[in-house]
Amino acid sequence: MSKEVQTIGVLTSGGDAPGMNAAIRAVARKAIACGKNVKGIQKGFMGLLNEEIMDMQRKDVSDIIQRGGTILRTARCDEFRTEEGQQKGADICRKHGIDGLVVIGGDGSYRGAQALAAHGINTIGIPGTIDLDIACTDYTIGFDTAVNTAMQAIDKVRDTSSSHERCSIIEVMGRNAGYIALWCGVANGAEDILIPEKYEFREQEIINNIINNRKKGKTHHLIINAEGIGHSTSMARRIEAATGIETRATILGYMQRGGSPTCKDRFYASMMGAKAVDLLLEGKSNRVVGYKHAQWVDYDIDEALSMQKVIPEYEYETSRMLAI
Ligand code: F6P
C-alpha cells in the first residue's frame, strides 16, 4: 500500500477563471484541517519548473474567496508538454516533498496532471474554466460568473442598440465551445445565436431574419456570436451592406474572465477543492473531480479526456424557437 500523502501542492493552470481562489482556499483549508502540509505553486506548470513554490498556511488563503483571478497566478507552458519537462516537474515535486498535487484548470491542465501521475506524483484535477467545455462534469468553475458578467454587458449593448435601431453582434468567449454564447443568447433574448457546434454558414438566413424582423416592427436585432466562429467585425460589415441597417460588432473579450465570483462559483469551487483533497488522502491519483447529475464525482483522467461534450439538442432547439 502506498504511503499516505503528507504534503499537498496546488497550482492553477491555463486561462484564469473566477472561483479559482475559492478552490485554492478549499484545498489549503481542507488539507490543513486534516493535518497535512500545503505548498502553493505559482504560475502553473511553468512555475513548477522554475521552482516557484511556497509554503501555505491557513491565513495565506484568508480574504481571497471573493476575489477574481488566481492568487497563485497562472500560465500556459510549452516545456511541460515535453517528456523532459514532465520528468523535471515530477523530480521538483519530490525535491519539495510534494507527494500529492491538485491542478485547477481545463483539459490542457489535466494532460499535465496525467503526465505527472505517470511519473509517480499523485495528482487530482479540478475543472476550472469559464468555457464549460469539460465533458466529465456538468459544471466548471468560472462559468457562472462569466455568463453573468457577459449577460450584464450584453444588456447594456442592447439598450444602445435599440435606441439607435441597430443590429448588434456581440462576440463572447468560449474557445471552440458555444456554451457561453448559448446561455447568454437565451438569457439576453438574442435573435440569433451562433455557436461553433451548430454553425453551418448561414449568413443569408440571418440577413433575411433581420429584414423580416424589421418589417414585423422589431427595433433592434441582437446576435450573440461565439469566439469559435469569430469574424464579428467583418460579419457586421457584410450584414450592414446587405440590409442597409446600421450594424455594430462588440467583442467582450477578457472582461468575461474577471470579477468577483458568484455564490455558485464559490460554492462549487469550495466543494471541488475539498473533494480533491479527500481523493488524495484516499490514496487516489490521476483523477479529476466533477459534478454530474447532482453528485460530486471523480473520474480517471484518461477516461475524462476521452469523453465528448455535446450541446444539449433541446437547449439549442429551444433557443431557436424563443428567438422568433
Ligand atoms: O479558456 C478560457 C479562455 O478565456 C477562452 O474562452 C479563450 O479562447 C482563451 O481562454 C483565451 O486564452 P488566452 O488567455 O491565452 O488569450
Side-chain angles (χ1 to χ4, degrees):
M1 218 178 103
S2 63
K3 199 159 74 49
E4 193 175 275
V5 164
Q6 292 305 325
T7 300
I8 295 179
V10 55
L11 62 80
T12 49
S13 163
D16 65 349
M20 279 184 164
N21 282 329
I24 294 166
R25 173 181 176 273
V27 170
R29 291 270 168 101
K30 178 82 192 243
I32 291 166
C34 295
K36 305 300 170 188
N37 307 313
V38 180
K39 298 210 179 203
I41 300 162
Q42 300 267 343
K43 302 182 203 157
F45 293 112
M46 193 170 82
L48 175 63
L49 296 182
N50 294 329
E51 295 191 54
E52 295 184 63
I53 299 170
M54 58 184 196
D55 290 332
M56 283 183 109
Q57 313 297 338
R58 192 194 55 78
K59 67 176 172 12
D60 294 317
V61 291
S62 291
D63 201 25
I64 66 166
I65 197 166
Q66 78 285 10
R67 282 164 55 191
T70 157
I71 58 157
L72 289 177
R73 318 268 175 87
T74 184
R76 303 190 198 276
C77 179
D78 286 337
E79 189 185 349
F80 207 74
R81 291 182 221 274
T82 65
E83 167 59 31
E84 300 74 53
Q86 293 159 3
Q87 181 63 58
K88 184 176 163 192
D91 291 343
I92 291 171
C93 283
R94 275 186 277 272
K95 178 176 160 192
H96 287 263
I98 296 172
D99 43 10
L101 178 68
V102 179
V103 173
I104 307 166
D107 274 358
S109 311
Y110 294 169
R111 287 197 186 87
Q114 191 183 35
L116 280 177
H119 286 90
I121 306 298
N122 290 341
T123 57
I124 305 291
I126 295 181
T129 168
I130 64 165
D131 301 335
L132 197 71
D133 59 349
I134 299 180
C136 69
T137 180
D138 295 337
Y139 194 76
T140 63
I141 297 165
F143 177 74
D144 190 58
T145 308
V147 284
N148 277 290
T149 302
M151 181 190 73
Q152 284 164 18
I154 295 165
D155 280 344
K156 294 185 169 78
V157 178
R158 186 192 177 109
D159 287 344
T160 167
S161 185
S162 30
S163 303
H164 286 262
E165 303 196 339
R166 281 175 175 156
C167 168
S168 281
I169 304 177
I170 302 172
E171 187 172 310
V172 296
M173 274 189 168
R175 199 183 292 278
N176 301 317
Y179 296 97
I180 298 177
L182 178 64
W183 278 59
C184 288
V186 171
N188 291 102
E191 275 67 33
D192 278 294
I193 305 169
L194 311 182
I195 59 174
E197 294 88 340
K198 296 285 181 184
Y199 190 67
E200 319 89 44
F201 192 75
R202 54 183 185 92
E203 213 163 274
Q204 191 54 48
E205 197 188 310
I206 295 167
I207 288 165
N208 297 342
N209 203 8
I210 295 170
I211 294 169
N212 289 336
N213 278 343
R214 191 51 63 104
K215 283 186 193 146
K216 281 193 266 175
K218 278 204 182 191
T219 51
H220 69 261
H221 193 101
L222 191 58
I223 301 171
I224 305 299
N225 187 28
E227 171 189 23
I229 292 176
H231 303 288
S232 297
T233 308
S234 57
M235 199 186 286
R237 271 199 299 271
R238 287 192 300 275
I239 288 176
E240 181 165 314
T243 60
I245 293 168
E246 273 190 323
T247 303
R248 298 283 192 270
T250 304
I251 298 169
L252 292 186
Y254 290 97
M255 53 105 73
Q256 293 161 94
R257 286 220 310 240
S260 178
T262 58
C263 179
K264 187 168 182 178
D265 272 327
R266 296 181 200 189
F267 185 85
Y268 279 63
S270 299
M271 294 301 137
M272 287 179 170
K275 170 104 181 154
V277 172
D278 291 344
L279 294 172
L280 285 172
L281 298 186
E282 287 162 21
K284 303 231 173 101
S285 179
N286 198 49
R287 299 198 71 82
V288 49
V289 175
Y291 186 76
K292 271 262 183 214
H293 312 305
Q295 302 283 339
W296 303 105
V297 292
D298 57 287
Y299 293 93
D300 185 87
I301 294 186
D302 306 11
E303 184 191 355
L305 287 173
S306 71
M307 293 179 184
Q308 295 289 325
K309 188 152 186 154
V310 287
I311 291 277
E313 203 56 40
Y314 181 75
E315 293 175 12
Y316 182 69
E317 284 310 319
T318 302
S319 77
R320 307 254 300 165
M321 282 188 192
L322 299 187
I324 54 168

